[in-house]
Amino acid sequence: VTDASGAFAALHRHERPFLLPNAWDFASAAALTRVGFRAIGTTSLGVAASAGKPDAAAAIRAENLRLAESLSRLPVMVSVDIEAGYSDDPDEVASYAREIARTGAVGVNIEDGEPNGLLGEPALLREKLRAVKAAAPRLFLNARTDTFWLGSAGGADRLQETIARTSSYVAAGADGIFVPGLSYHEDVLALSGAVAAPLNVLFAPGKASLEQLGAAGARRVSTGSLLFRMSLGAAAGAAERIRSGDLLEPNACPTYGEVQAMVLTTGDR
Amino acid sequence: VTDASGAFAALHRHERPFLLPNAWDFASAAALTRVGFRAIGTTSLGVAASAGKPDAAAAIRAENLRLAESLSRLPVMVSVDIEAGYSDDPDEVASYAREIARTGAVGVNIEDGEPNGLLGEPALLREKLRAVKAAAPRLFLNARTDTFWLGSAGGADRLQETIARTSSYVAAGADGIFVPGLSYHEDVLALSGAVAAPLNVLFAPGKASLEQLGAAGARRVSTGSLLFRMSLGAAAGAAERIRSGDLLEPNACPTYGEVQAMVLTTGDR
């Protein structure tokens, strides 16, 4: 476990940021592992919607843990999105993070967005970070701020608030920071220059490539719910085309046998 | 429930066959419902692989029931693939089918392929069909034979064996028959002419359109594991493109808000 955690932290030290694609179930994680990713994250929207539950509502505490357990069979490093930790009590959050760590996961994402849809107090996330760090010191602790998604400030105020929050999260024990919603070169550049921890940003189609995000200082690029939403779009779109009379192209998707083989894959991570 | 079952049976009476796309979790079912499908099936490969279990191994008895329960919230008719019924005891299969029917599902698929990967005795499937029909008379009972996938016979012998099996399944109570692996016009034509129940075939990309399958006599066309496999291919393929430096096109997949709305959808079926 120590080696895996060290290897995961090391992925954050390259000038070209590493892409952490987000899975939502065993099959999607296995498919990403099969195409060569050494590390994957999870998407709370995907995990929740697959189970018929809303995202960001603290509804998938058990599903997330079950998923982390099942992913431990795959030869891939796993970082789990635990939303705001499913509790306002730092000790409960720490105890959950310890359970996640026991599955062999190498990291967690924990955020200051609250299940009520509001931006939470930074002091609360700091307490949770301290508690998690003490309970599961080997987890790569990625602190997410939702200032860009949920905050009321804009422009320079928003950027200052983001720098203040994330710097305080690093001081409280975060190993990395995650700011979704940034889409501009200047914001990424300003943040990566101001905060002393690897910056994780969200990939946004059509906006910036991995290289461009890396040049601005990002060290980890994750896909959030994008791959999950693309998979739903692909399935529904193909069904619509068949319904309309299309033959479809003899397809380039995994075969039945390849999917069965993925499921039977086990290995060390 | 009576109305829904009647409405589902009625879908099998049109010259243009109806497309029954197969879902594997709540989100895929919701996405298919959102693009206008009135009825969906499930794919045992998809349900199994999502949970990290092998297909056709009788491993997802509980997962299938949980899925059927969650799908009851969607305004769509659901037919559940129960493989060989997860037991050799017809009473146990009937009791499981009754549980599935209680979720509001309108149909089940049950097959003579066995968890050991061999083609089972037709007498056993007939007993299961009789027991299920008695226990859950409103379920549309789709009897699948795996003669084309698992049988040792070929050519005319295979076709004769398939006609004999499926005719006996109809006599035992099946409302429809399903023969995966048929890809030729003549086989579909011969089977639909010889068996007195709606014929369900599997869509195969590049082989035949819905119209062509209907002209040969098919009344239901399902997608099996195809949409699930395409969704995995889409997710892994997009991740590979991002990794290689692509920007991706600002995409045509459902937005975060649309997925959240799907999950909150409820309605009568």
Side-chain angles (χ1 to χ4, degrees):
Chain A
V1 176
T2 316
D3 288 346
S5 293
F8 186 64
L11 294 177
H12 295 74
R13 294 186 201 121
H14 304 287
E15 198 146 330
R16 186 180 197 268
F18 82 102
L19 179 63
L20 188 78
N22 300 77
W24 54 94
D25 61 11
F26 184 90
S28 55
L32 291 165
T33 304
R34 180 170 170 267
V35 297
F37 286 95
R38 294 175 55 203
I40 58 172
T42 64
T43 157
S44 60
L45 177 72
V47 176
S50 296
K53 296 183 172 181
D55 184 34
I60 55 166
R61 191 184 193 280
E63 283 82 356
N64 246 334
L65 186 59
R66 256 206 309 275
L67 176 60
E69 277 160 4
S70 82
L71 299 188
S72 69
R73 286 169 43 214
L74 290 172
V76 71
M77 296 183 277
V78 177
S79 179
V80 179
D81 179 347
I82 61 170
E83 302 178 62
Y86 308 117
S87 173
D88 285 340
D89 177 347
D91 290 337
E92 282 185 21
V93 176
S95 146
Y96 185 68
R98 197 187 298 115
E99 288 183 84
I100 293 284
R102 280 192 188 129
T103 68
V106 295
V108 291
N109 269 15
I110 180 166
E111 70 203 32
D112 58 16
E114 295 288 341
N116 60 11
L118 300 175
L119 187 61
E121 286 300 321
L124 178 58
L125 184 54
R126 284 194 295 270
E127 282 184 60
K128 292 177 181 177
L129 290 166
R130 280 187 207 103
V132 169
K133 199 63 186 174
R138 285 168 175 161
L139 280 181
F140 188 99
L141 197 44
N142 205 34
R144 167 175 140 182
T145 184
D146 284 345
T147 43
F148 275 75
W149 273 352
L150 304 177
S152 51
D157 285 352
R158 180 166 64 179
L159 188 60
Q160 283 314 309
E161 166 81 5
T162 304
I163 291 172
R165 282 188 179 233
T166 53
S167 298
S168 81
Y169 297 158
V170 174
D175 300 298
I177 60 165
F178 178 27
V179 189
L182 293 180
S183 48
Y184 301 100
H185 185 79
E186 298 92 64
D187 285 340
V188 177
L189 204 61
L191 260 170
S192 64
V195 183
L199 172 64
N200 178 190
V201 301
L202 205 53
F203 181 80
K207 294 274 176 65
S209 71
L210 223 51
E211 281 73 13
Q212 291 167 323
L213 293 167
R219 288 294 168 262
R220 182 205 291 197
V221 176
S222 49
T223 56
S225 64
L226 177 67
L227 303 180
F228 172 67
R229 291 184 288 107
M230 290 182 81
S231 83
L232 287 185
E240 286 185 288
R241 291 205 305 280
I242 300 170
R243 182 173 61 185
S244 75
D246 266 28
L247 278 177
L248 294 193
E249 46 293 349
N251 55 297
C253 67
T255 64
Y256 181 96
E258 284 167 346
V259 174
Q260 282 276 63
M262 279 182 212
V263 170
L264 302 168
T265 298
T266 53
D268 296 322
R269 44 176 188 176
Chain B
V1 177
T2 316
D3 288 345
S5 293
F8 186 64
L11 294 177
H12 295 76
R13 294 185 200 119
H14 304 287
E15 199 146 328
R16 187 179 197 271
F18 82 101
L19 179 64
L20 188 78
N22 299 77
W24 54 94
D25 62 10
F26 184 90
S28 54
L32 291 165
T33 304
R34 179 169 171 268
V35 297
F37 286 95
R38 294 175 54 203
I40 58 171
T42 65
T43 158
S44 59
L45 177 71
V47 176
S50 296
K53 296 184 171 181
D55 184 35
I60 55 164
R61 190 184 193 281
E63 283 83 354
N64 246 332
L65 187 58
R66 254 205 312 272
L67 177 60
E69 277 160 4
S70 82
L71 299 188
S72 69
R73 285 169 44 213
L74 290 172
V76 71
M77 297 184 278
V78 177
S79 180
V80 179
D81 180 345
I82 62 170
E83 304 179 61
Y86 310 115
S87 175
D88 285 339
D89 177 347
D91 291 336
E92 282 185 20
V93 176
S95 145
Y96 186 67
R98 198 187 296 116
E99 287 184 86
I100 293 284
R102 279 192 189 130
T103 67
V106 296
V108 290
N109 270 15
I110 180 165
E111 69 202 35
D112 59 16
E114 295 287 344
N116 59 11
L118 300 175
L119 188 60
E121 287 301 322
L124 178 57
L125 184 54
R126 284 194 295 269
E127 283 183 61
K128 292 177 181 177
L129 291 166
R130 281 188 206 101
V132 170
K133 200 63 186 174
R138 285 169 176 160
L139 279 182
F140 188 98
L141 197 44
N142 205 34
R144 168 174 140 182
T145 184
D146 284 344
T147 44
F148 276 74
W149 272 351
L150 304 177
S152 51
D157 285 353
R158 180 166 64 178
L159 188 60
Q160 283 314 308
E161 167 79 6
T162 304
I163 291 172
R165 283 188 178 234
T166 53
S167 298
S168 81
Y169 297 157
V170 174
D175 300 298
I177 60 166
F178 179 27
V179 189
L182 294 178
S183 49
Y184 300 101
H185 186 78
E186 298 93 63
D187 286 339
V188 177
L189 204 62
L191 259 171
S192 64
V195 183
L199 173 62
N200 178 190
V201 301
L202 205 54
F203 180 80
K207 293 276 176 64
S209 71
L210 224 51
E211 282 72 14
Q212 291 167 323
L213 293 167
R219 289 292 167 264
R220 183 205 289 196
V221 176
S222 48
T223 56
S225 64
L226 177 67
L227 302 180
F228 173 67
R229 290 184 288 108
M230 290 182 80
S231 83
L232 288 184
E240 285 185 289
R241 290 206 305 282
I242 300 170
R243 182 174 58 186
S244 76
D246 266 28
L247 276 177
L248 295 193
E249 47 292 349
N251 56 299
C253 67
T255 64
Y256 181 97
E258 284 166 346
V259 174
Q260 281 277 60
M262 281 182 210
V263 170
L264 302 168
T265 297
T266 53
D268 297 323
R269 41 177 191 177

